[in-house]
Amino acid sequence: MLRVDELFEPQELRHCIRDLVALSTLPAIWKDYDPRQIADSVAAALISMLDADVVYVAAPGLGDEAAVEVMRTSQAVTVESADRIECILRRAQLCTREQTVAIDDPFGTGALRMTTVSMDFGSDAGIAVGSLDPNFPSETHRLLLTIAASHATLAFQRRHAEAQQRRLASLIDRSSEFVGFARLDGKVKYLNKAGCELLGLAGIEEAQRHAVFDFLAPGEQTRAHLELMSQVMKTGRWFGELKFRHFVTGEDIPFLVDWFRIDDLRTGHPMNMATVSRDLRGQKRLEENLRRLNNSLEQRVSARTSELAEALGRLTLEANERERADVRAQELQLELLHASRLSAAGQMAGALAHELNQPLTFR
């Protein structure tokens, strides 16, 4: 760590203080900058503060953002040598961490002394600074470079966190679920657009004039306040069905409620409570329609079964009648056969008697 008594000259001390103040103002300037603008701002500041000949900044690609590489050079660096120098710095920045190396003859006019510092985003993020000054880097240079890298790291992290918050807020606001959170005393802090529409509220301003228990149907408020709230505070979560009320129509709306507690990550103490709830009216209607359809099908199956049973009974009766008719026909056929046999026997007997009587008559 650099001490004041190590800065022997008052002029150097004044310059260091000036540069530290300038570095401290950068985060405020970077508030609305994108990653490339932040990296370029760091490079420009270090070129001036360190009296460097070249500064190379490799910024991390966080989330869906692409990685950024920026190089700034002093007037001593020609355009023809800039690409070659960038390749040298990139290789050196990737291979070294917080070290000082000398590269022979990068401009054709001596050695380039270079120092690097990581930005704690992995092996490919950091700052590399090069100078033709044989006394580079001094302790002051190292201090300013380290502070600049720390500020840049925090700026990239903050931008990434803010981008994640915006994406999460957009996702929640576009969700069709009822999403909201409140203080532990029940005061509403946030309710998404779908939640306001489901309860007939004009917007978040109207929602914030109520406590969470005002959202519940009258018959649910006491149970939620005395029983469910205590369970949330004790165990951290309650999951079940509750009825909310529509502020315009007074309709009781069934919701599947996931009610949970939000704790401070540092202390572990409860901070807020939140819910992600689903409107069950569509599901209830579907279940009712399925019940009606099932009952209708059961009735139709029962009626059809009864019809089939009656038809089967009729067919059975008809089969029995036909069987009895067949039996009677067989009996009549046997009787007719017997009668025909008797008739034939009678005819034969008459013919025989006639033949027997003929000789007697002739005599």
Side-chain angles (χ1 to χ4, degrees), residues 152-166:
T153 300
L154 292 175
F156 287 123
Q157 289 176 336
R158 181 174 60 251
R159 177 177 172 81
H160 180 54
E162 290 173 351
Q164 286 184 318
Q165 289 176 352
R166 287 193 296 270

Side-chain angles (χ1 to χ4, degrees), residues 81-94 103-107 112 114 128:
S81 61
D83 291 340
R84 179 168 173 262
I85 294 170
E86 183 175 356
C87 292
I88 293 172
L89 289 174
R90 183 184 293 111
R91 288 197 302 270
Q93 192 272 329
L94 292 175
I103 302 174
D104 292 334
D105 198 25
F107 306 114
L112 177 70
M114 188 190 69

Side-chain angles (χ1 to χ4, degrees), residues 97-118:
R97 281 293 174 268
E98 300 178 3
Q99 298 179 15
T100 300
V101 296
I103 302 174
D104 292 334
D105 198 25
F107 306 114
T109 57
L112 177 70
R113 291 183 60 80
M114 188 190 69
T115 185
T116 62
V117 63
S118 172

Side-chain angles (χ1 to χ4, degrees), residues 1 9 36 38-39 69 100 114 128 168 227 312 324 349 352 357-358 361:
M1 182 67 182
E9 297 182 4
R36 176 166 289 278
I38 294 173
E69 296 181 2
T100 300
M114 188 190 69
L168 179 60
E227 299 179 17
L312 180 60
R324 286 194 293 270
L352 181 61
N357 290 332
Q358 281 295 342
T361 304

Side-chain angles (χ1 to χ4, degrees), residues 26 30 37-47 55 57 127 148-149 152 156:
L26 289 179
W30 295 338
Q37 290 173 319
I38 294 173
D40 188 65
S41 177
V42 171
L46 291 175
I47 280 284
V55 175
V57 180
I127 303 175
F156 287 123

